[in-house]
Amino acid sequence: MARLPLETIRVLDLTRVLAGPFGSQILADMGADVIKIERPVVGDDARIFGEPYLRDGEGRPTRENAFYLSVNRNKRSVALNIASTGGQALIRELVKSCDVVMENYKVGDLKRYGLDYESLKAVNPRIVYCSVTGYGQTGPLAGKPGYDAVFQGECGLMSVTGVPDGKPGAGPMKVGPSIIDLFTGLNVANAILAALYHRDANGGEGQYIDIALLDCGVSALSHYAQIYLTSGEVPVRRGTQGNGGMPTSMFPCSDGAIMITSGNDKQYVALCDAVGHPELATHPRFHTNVLRVQHRDEITEVFNAIFATNTVDYWLEKLGAAGIPSGPINDLAQVFAYPQAVHRGLRARAPHPLKPDLDVIRSPLNFSATPITDYRAPPMLGEHTAEVLGEVLNLDEEALARLREQGVI
């Protein structure tokens, strides 16, 4: 079996909920030994976020929440009370054999436990320590708590998402998934990999990484933010319309809807031919992309009327044959039945103690020499406590029993 890219890396993961766990799951998928530290009895906050829960063999709901399952595969769970002196001592011992520490506590919280960067750097100078917070370690809002939905508003994402002003239902709209958390998780994984490369390939040392959800949200606005910085003009909501090539929008059909992107003049001419209206290619207000952008609402209405005359399948066949970027508006049942998604294996199997045929989302990373082929189920609370403490710290059963009696594990 081929080795995975990060098999020699060990991560001590003190993060909870979504942004941090998503980042550590990326590292775990690539082979890192991610040791997830959870509070005894309670565990990661995500475990209590509500239905749906994984059901046992008799159909009864368990404490394994779908939210938690989505970002904790390929990890090992250790139930450990870091508020106790004994728990803090165990963390410091574990850090000696780790490459990375991740945490998403409030600014300064872990310093009172002696688990901040400076304290753990003294234990292991090579450690890469990543803190994930809402607003970063400095600034007027550094101590303020926050969640993804709040950051979607604060970072500007909601201001450019939703139905345009003057249209029925106009107003800002939150993106469905917790997208700022997910952007942050991607940045967390990238930053950690860069710090490890600096340490190991560039002859550098361990270092501290400060990642903020607000920063990641603003960064993810990309061309929208750059439009403002370049022109001083504040971008507006455009519904499903694109910001560049037109027509780009969701178009209702007789039995559903499709999404189309006409990214340049060549594609626009092909689109006009495909829908049986070649005259639109030379229309005085539509014949260049600059003009189509200027008359975006008018051209959208023209194509709305055209696509409403037939079915989704009819139009997708026509558009596909003409090479027009287009696709259906799938719900998730349709996504996992979509021929391309099936071919790519986007549904993976990770046997779980409560469900041997548990399905999980496959990692989107595809390596030729170090492929990700197997998945371990997201761990149950404390599933690997004895295993990790025995393997990493050489604690025997008697020592583990004492720690249980003391409420440390």
Side-chain angles (χ1 to χ4, degrees), residues 130-145:
C130 181
S131 292
V132 184
T133 55
Y135 300 93
Q137 299 295 307
T138 60
L141 299 182
K144 181 184 174 184

Side-chain angles (χ1 to χ4, degrees), residues 231-308:
S231 68
E233 297 178 7
V234 177
V236 299
R237 298 184 306 279
R238 300 198 184 281
T240 63
Q241 285 187 359
N243 205 51
M246 291 294 294
T248 293
S249 187
M250 181 183 75
F251 292 100
C253 303
S254 62
D255 64 345
I258 57 177
M259 193 72 197
I260 293 175
T261 294
S262 177
N264 53 49
D265 289 340
K266 181 179 179 181
Q267 287 179 348
Y268 175 65
V269 172
L271 172 63
C272 295
D273 290 339
V275 300
H277 288 273
E279 74 281 1
L280 290 173
T282 55
H283 191 288
R285 290 192 296 281
F286 303 154
H287 68 92
T288 70
N289 191 60
V290 171
L291 288 170
R292 293 193 297 277
V293 169
Q294 292 173 358
H295 300 282
R296 60 170 58 245
D297 289 338
E298 182 181 350
I299 195 171
T300 298
E301 288 305 313
V302 168
F303 279 87
N304 274 340
I306 293 171
F307 286 113

Side-chain angles (χ1 to χ4, degrees), residues 77-353:
S77 172
V78 171
L80 192 155
N81 180 11
I82 67 167
S84 68
T85 302
Q88 294 155 18
L90 287 176
I91 292 291
R92 284 188 280 273
E93 287 301 310
L94 287 169
V95 165
K96 292 178 181 178
S97 66
C98 288
D99 300 277
V100 178
V101 171
M102 300 172 60
E103 61 92 6
N104 63 346
Y105 285 77
K106 292 179 183 177
V107 173
D109 255 17
L110 291 184
K111 188 171 185 177
R112 59 194 172 119
Y113 296 148
L115 302 180
D116 57 305
Y117 172 61
E118 292 300 330
S119 297
L120 297 186
K121 178 184 177 182
V123 173
N124 180 355
R126 287 173 53 79
I127 202 71
V128 170
Y129 190 114
C130 181
S131 292
V132 184
T133 55
Y135 300 93
Q137 299 295 307
T138 60
L141 299 182
K144 181 184 174 184
Y147 280 88
D148 177 273
V150 174
F151 293 111
Q152 289 201 29
E154 282 185 303
C155 79
L157 177 61
M158 288 177 62
S159 76
V160 294
T161 304
V163 178
D165 288 336
K167 304 281 186 179
M173 181 68 67
K174 174 188 172 297
V175 176
S178 300
I179 199 72
I180 305 301
D181 276 327
L182 300 177
F183 286 144
T184 301
L186 290 169
N187 281 312
V188 164
N190 278 330
I192 288 171
L193 290 174
L196 289 172
Y197 186 87
H198 168 73
R199 187 193 73 178
D200 297 339
N202 290 344
E205 56 189 0
Q207 61 180 300
Y208 181 73
I209 302 170
D210 171 11
I211 302 284
L213 271 76
L214 180 64
D215 299 359
C216 293
V218 173
S219 173
L221 284 177
S222 185
H223 54 291
Y224 276 88
Q226 194 62 47
I227 286 169
Y228 169 72
L229 293 175
T230 302
S231 68
E233 297 178 7
V234 177
V236 299
R237 298 184 306 279
R238 300 198 184 281
T240 63
Q241 285 187 359
N243 205 51
M246 291 294 294
T248 293
S249 187
M250 181 183 75
F251 292 100
C253 303
S254 62
D255 64 345
I258 57 177
M259 193 72 197
I260 293 175
T261 294
S262 177
N264 53 49
D265 289 340
K266 181 179 179 181
Q267 287 179 348
Y268 175 65
V269 172
L271 172 63
C272 295
D273 290 339
V275 300
H277 288 273
E279 74 281 1
L280 290 173
T282 55
H283 191 288
R285 290 192 296 281
F286 303 154
H287 68 92
T288 70
N289 191 60
V290 171
L291 288 170
R292 293 193 297 277
V293 169
Q294 292 173 358
H295 300 282
R296 60 170 58 245
D297 289 338
E298 182 181 350
I299 195 171
T300 298
E301 288 305 313
V302 168
F303 279 87
N304 274 340
I306 293 171
F307 286 113
T309 63
N310 221 312
T311 66
V312 166
D313 288 344
Y314 174 85
W315 288 121
L316 288 180
E317 182 177 353
K318 290 280 188 184
L319 296 169
I324 306 301
S326 56
I329 311 298
N330 287 330
D331 63 28
L332 282 167
Q334 293 168 320
V335 167
F336 285 106
Y338 203 46
Q340 185 66 14
V342 173
H343 173 80
R344 299 288 289 180
L346 299 185
R347 182 199 303 253
R349 183 63 51 84
H352 190 280

Side-chain angles (χ1 to χ4, degrees), residues 60-89:
R60 295 170 300 194
T62 67
R63 68 180 300 164
E64 306 304 302
N65 173 275
F67 191 106
Y68 167 84
L69 293 173
S70 72
V71 289
N72 285 290
R73 62 177 178 254
N74 291 329
K75 303 177 187 179
R76 298 197 283 177
S77 172
V78 171
L80 192 155
N81 180 11
I82 67 167
S84 68
T85 302
Q88 294 155 18

